[in-house]
Amino acid sequence: MQLQVLTTNVTGHFAYFAENIVLHKYASSIVFVFYVAAFMLGAFCSSLLIELFSRRSVASPYIFPISVEIICLLFVALSSSTWANANVLALVLLFGMGLQNALVTRVSNSVVRTTHLTGLFTDLGIELSLFIFRKRYKHRLKNLKQGVYLKCFIIFFFFIGSILGGFLVPQFHFKTLLVAVGCLIIAMFYDYFKLSFFHLKRRLSHHNRYRWKTKSSERNL
């Protein structure tokens, strides 16, 4: 079973929606409205979860939207083509990609979006052009280099994932998404342990500073 639906972004769905309206295929056009709405709902839920849990004593509020995305991918990966409707699976994937896009957008302060490459190539082209005027932008040169490296890495791994998916899909079909689930689990635990280590390090630093101040006070007495 193949979905034959683009689920990483909604630009094409707007074009198909307009085309169906022009051709008076109003019933078909409604499907694309649902596709766009699912992606937007995913972005809304992702930002909502981050805001809700960022106000609480949680090590990483980003774990929650990642967890929901994992559930979405598992649902599609383990779905049987005998009962699962293609449109339902497409909606679930679009919802999950909306979650992913909003999550990374929030984490990177709108610098990175991982579900599509249009914005990345645009930003990369702009940043590369600024290297021609090194003297004018010498105060931003370090940040420009970091931005270029980051975008090149994202684009590289996007292509690696696409090629890997191209080899795996004919053999494993929807179960190929389990690879993505594994990557998300690794990212989730890496983020959690990294933040936990940071908090522990800061707590020990405060504790050592307090001990040093206490000893200094005792010496002065």
Side-chain angles (χ1 to χ4, degrees):
M1 178 181 172
Q2 295 182 353
L3 296 182
Q4 296 182 342
V5 176
L6 186 64
T7 58
T8 55
N9 58 76
V10 295
T11 308
H13 296 312
F14 265 105
Y16 284 126
F17 170 73
E19 181 184 27
N20 279 277
I21 291 293
V22 171
L23 297 174
H24 303 291
K25 297 179 180 179
Y26 302 113
S28 300
S29 67
I30 294 173
V31 176
F32 297 105
V33 174
F34 281 111
Y35 287 165
V36 174
F39 193 95
M40 186 181 69
L41 183 61
F44 171 82
C45 290
S46 180
S47 185
L48 180 67
L49 288 169
I50 292 170
E51 286 296 323
L52 285 174
F53 289 101
S54 62
R55 299 176 184 274
R56 303 181 184 183
S57 56
V58 178
S60 175
Y62 306 119
I63 288 175
F64 299 96
I66 293 176
S67 300
V68 178
E69 185 183 357
I70 288 172
I71 292 169
C72 291
L73 294 180
L74 282 174
F75 173 80
V76 177
L78 302 177
S79 294
S80 171
S81 59
T82 56
W83 65 270
N85 183 276
N87 284 328
V88 172
L89 296 183
L91 288 170
V92 173
L93 284 174
L94 280 158
F95 178 82
M97 293 303 98
L99 280 165
Q100 169 75 11
N101 210 37
L103 169 64
V104 179
T105 301
R106 288 290 302 269
V107 171
S108 66
N109 292 320
S110 300
V111 174
V112 176
R113 290 171 176 81
T114 55
T115 60
H116 54 277
L117 296 179
T118 307
L120 277 175
F121 274 111
T122 303
D123 294 339
L124 182 61
I126 292 170
E127 291 174 353
L128 287 173
S129 72
L130 297 181
F131 279 101
I132 299 173
F133 308 95
R134 286 172 175 266
K135 292 181 180 179
R136 187 185 301 176
Y137 294 99
K138 60 182 179 180
H139 61 289
R140 291 178 52 192
L141 207 57
K142 184 179 178 181
N143 291 334
L144 283 173
K145 286 180 179 179
Q146 290 176 346
V148 168
Y149 290 146
L150 174 63
K151 291 172 180 64
C152 286
F153 272 116
I154 294 171
I155 292 168
F156 172 75
F157 281 105
F158 194 101
F159 281 119
I160 291 295
S162 301
I163 293 168
L164 183 63
F167 282 112
L168 294 178
V169 167
Q171 300 294 325
F172 302 102
H173 303 288
F174 292 148
K175 287 183 174 60
T176 303
L177 290 172
L178 294 176
V179 177
V181 169
C183 292
L184 286 171
I185 291 172
I186 292 170
M188 183 170 63
F189 280 101
Y190 171 79
D191 184 55
Y192 175 78
F193 286 121
K194 183 180 178 181
L195 281 171
S196 298
F197 174 76
F198 173 76
H199 289 310
L200 178 63
K201 187 178 178 180
R202 190 170 62 176
R203 200 176 302 159
L204 288 172
S205 177
H206 286 317
H207 178 68
N208 291 334
R209 197 177 303 160
Y210 173 77
R211 287 180 63 187
W212 181 81
K213 286 182 179 180
T214 304
K215 287 181 179 180
S216 296
S217 300
E218 289 175 352
R219 287 172 186 172
N220 292 331
L221 291 173

